[in-house]
Amino acid sequence: MTNITLALGDITEQRVDAIVNAANSSLLGGGGVDGAIHRRGGPDILDECRDLRASRYGKGLPAGRAVATTAGRLPARWVIHTVGPVFSTTEDRSATLASCYSESLRIADELGARTVALPAVSTGVYRWPLDSAARIALTAVRDMGTSVTEARFVLFDQRAYDAFETALNELPPA
């Protein structure tokens, strides 16, 4: 059973087996969590992402999918990149957001990662409302059959932490 924990802070400082990156489909870095991971992790991450673009993901990584690279200079072994959906008021993309988490944990299992740090995918520039994103993320992680022993949601600010804490406390039993 996976222990779900919450932390307020910088995901790039987490000492875990794998850090999940809220990447954009290009895999070539960007803003927010993605930019922070690439800056702190160094050029090795970008080099592997370029190799992935040149081979399997020529058109980019689709939303809801995940792929792993080295963690470079981060205090983790791997970075698992996942692309969240852009929030829409006219189309329900909840399943795609949930897939970001289940696919990330599936990749973590393939790698043998037991501790994973996760961000609040799609809640930045992709504008997913925090309360909804927290419920979807926590439910997806709780319901995923995985060998990961700790799924640590690392929230950048108090507002995000509070939303995830509320959602975790309101999560119905599996």
Side-chain angles (χ1 to χ4, degrees):
M1 179 160 177
T2 304
N3 183 32
I4 298 174
T5 61
L6 306 178
L8 180 63
D10 182 346
I11 198 166
T12 68
E13 296 176 353
Q14 301 302 304
R15 297 195 174 280
V16 291
D17 295 329
I19 292 174
V20 174
N21 179 18
N24 64 54
S25 64
S26 77
L27 295 175
L28 302 179
V33 170
D34 193 20
I37 285 172
H38 277 273
R39 281 190 302 277
R40 177 118 189 249
D44 291 347
I45 298 171
L46 184 57
D47 289 345
E48 282 193 36
C49 285
R50 283 189 178 124
D51 290 345
L52 287 166
R53 283 299 304 271
S55 59
R56 293 188 289 171
Y57 299 105
K59 294 180 180 178
L61 184 67
R65 300 281 306 277
V67 66
T69 66
T70 181
R73 296 189 302 253
L74 294 170
R77 290 185 63 193
W78 302 284
V79 172
I80 300 170
H81 306 267
T82 190
V83 179
V86 174
F87 180 73
S88 171
T89 56
T90 59
E91 179 185 348
D92 183 5
R93 299 175 179 166
S94 300
T96 304
L97 182 58
S99 180
C100 291
Y101 294 98
S102 57
E103 283 294 298
S104 293
L105 292 177
R106 183 184 64 76
I107 296 291
D109 283 344
E110 288 178 5
L111 296 168
R114 296 296 171 254
T115 55
V116 178
L118 305 115
V121 175
S122 288
T123 62
V125 296
Y126 290 178
R127 303 180 318 278
W128 204 287
L130 269 170
D131 295 343
S132 171
R135 280 191 305 276
I136 292 166
L138 291 163
T139 301
V141 169
R142 180 203 61 195
D143 293 350
M144 178 69 181
T146 179
S147 297
V148 170
T149 57
E150 182 189 6
R152 182 184 312 157
F153 284 91
V154 182
L155 296 312
F156 183 73
D157 61 22
Q158 192 64 50
R159 188 170 149 262
Y161 184 92
D162 292 346
F164 271 75
E165 183 176 50
T166 298
L168 184 59
N169 290 333
E170 293 175 351
L171 199 63

